[in-house]
Amino acid sequence: MALSDVALCARALVMIGVNPIASFAEETVEAEVAGMLYPALRDGMLAAYPWRFAARGKWLSRRVSQDGEDETAPDGLHEFALPGDFIRLLALESEASALPEFELRKGIVACDSNRAYLRYVGRMAEASFPVWFDMALIARLAAEFCLPLTESTSRAEYLQKRADDLFHQARLADAQQSTPRRIEDFPLLEARG
């Protein structure tokens, strides 16, 4: 079942024993806490692991100055704009090299290549989250919402442990969503003969 941002927060609030919300616009402490913490916690969960379900790839656009010239950083690297849904860099490739020299900067990536292909974790609609990610996110939300709403440190610690366990399970489930990569050209395997 696809859940919205509000539905995810409502389930987390139920887990800590407080009233669920129907909207972030409600004039309740629960809605205020959920609305304030949710975006950062969602993005933090997406950034915490190279999730296959949230992986994206695209050729980046070079930044151009107001006079139409390509933007080049003082260090000679070409500047490329990051996508608006960018959360975490997974890999950067160019036509010339699978490992170009690059540096991630605020809102851009500077690279020594004329073209760059970015593989990244991107922000996505909550309805697209797999159920195992929903469960891990709900547990994390409950752990973070607990202290400001209940002031119970023991319950918050328990919920954090549960969130860590569900995060680990979600990582395992995500890792099983594709064929494992074959290890090739590894010196220790060659030494075994």
Side-chain angles (χ1 to χ4, degrees), residues 39-106:
L41 292 171
R42 176 205 54 215
D43 288 357
M45 282 284 290
L46 286 168
Y49 182 74
W51 303 104
R52 286 173 176 32
F53 73 88
R56 310 248 186 306
K58 77 181 280 186
W59 285 99
L60 298 178
S61 301
R62 295 251 317 252
R63 291 185 42 175
V64 292
S65 64
Q66 293 176 353
D67 60 1
E69 297 293 320
D70 286 337
E71 289 278 340
T72 304
D75 53 11
L77 299 176
H78 301 288
E79 293 184 346
F80 297 89
L82 291 171
D85 63 345
F86 176 83
I87 291 185
R88 176 185 176 177
L89 185 138
L90 298 176
L92 188 77
E93 301 168 7
S94 71
E95 292 174 328
S97 169
L99 295 171
E101 180 182 330
F102 72 91
E103 182 180 341
L104 193 60
R105 300 176 182 162
K106 185 177 174 128

Side-chain angles (χ1 to χ4, degrees), residues 9-20:
C9 289
R11 282 173 168 73
L13 293 166
V14 167
M15 284 181 71
I16 61 174
V18 299
N19 293 326

Side-chain angles (χ1 to χ4, degrees), residues 122-136:
R123 188 175 297 106
M124 57 195 307
E126 284 81 357
S128 301
F129 293 163
V131 67
W132 34 265
F133 185 80
D134 281 346
M135 296 305 298

Side-chain angles (χ1 to χ4, degrees), residues 16 142-148 150-162:
I16 61 174
E144 297 294 331
F145 294 170
C146 187
L147 201 54
T150 69
E151 297 181 7
S152 172
T153 55
S154 60
R155 186 184 298 173
E157 288 171 2
Y158 165 76
L159 289 169
Q160 186 59 51
K161 169 80 170 94
R162 177 134 172 82

